[in-house]
Amino acid sequence: MKENNLKLLYSLFLKLESEEDCKALLDDLCTYKEVEQMAQRAYAAKLFLEGKTYSEIIAETEISSTTLSRISRAITHGSGAYKKFIGGEDK
């Protein structure tokens, strides 16, 4: 993917001023299933940060263990965005 494309995408997100703006942009950019999967990942990350076990998270979200493992790795070794934007870290 070209760097300019990424910069354009990032700048679109920075222009969002409300939940309605975010919904409108995601509706135009993504399929319903893609948005649903991102929401599921965010919720699973929230549960993980709250200390829920893998089994509890999978039972509540029906997320795959592979995806949950990826979320766990991102929380533990990633950029810190889940902690910064969902919780678990001083803001």
Side-chain angles (χ1 to χ4, degrees), residues 3-89:
E3 185 67 24
N4 287 343
N5 294 352
L6 288 172
K7 286 183 178 186
L8 173 60
L9 180 63
Y10 302 153
S11 72
L12 291 175
F13 282 110
L14 290 172
K15 292 177 183 178
L16 301 176
E17 295 181 2
S18 67
E19 189 173 306
E20 291 79 21
D21 286 351
C22 186
K23 181 185 180 317
L25 181 59
L26 289 175
D27 284 348
D28 286 353
L29 280 175
C30 305
T31 65
Y32 177 79
K33 187 70 175 172
E34 290 168 332
V35 174
E36 186 178 64
Q37 289 171 340
M38 287 188 285
Q40 181 188 49
R41 290 176 189 160
Y43 185 61
K46 178 182 180 294
L47 295 175
F48 187 87
L49 289 166
E50 290 173 355
K52 302 283 185 182
T53 66
Y54 266 50
S55 297
E56 291 171 325
I57 296 168
I58 290 169
E60 187 165 339
T61 63
E62 299 181 357
I63 201 165
S64 74
S65 60
T66 302
T67 301
L68 184 53
S69 177
R70 183 177 178 276
I71 292 166
S72 172
R73 272 194 317 277
I75 289 170
T76 308
H77 303 292
S79 66
Y82 279 128
K83 287 180 183 176
K84 180 177 181 180
F85 296 110
I86 294 176
E89 188 174 90

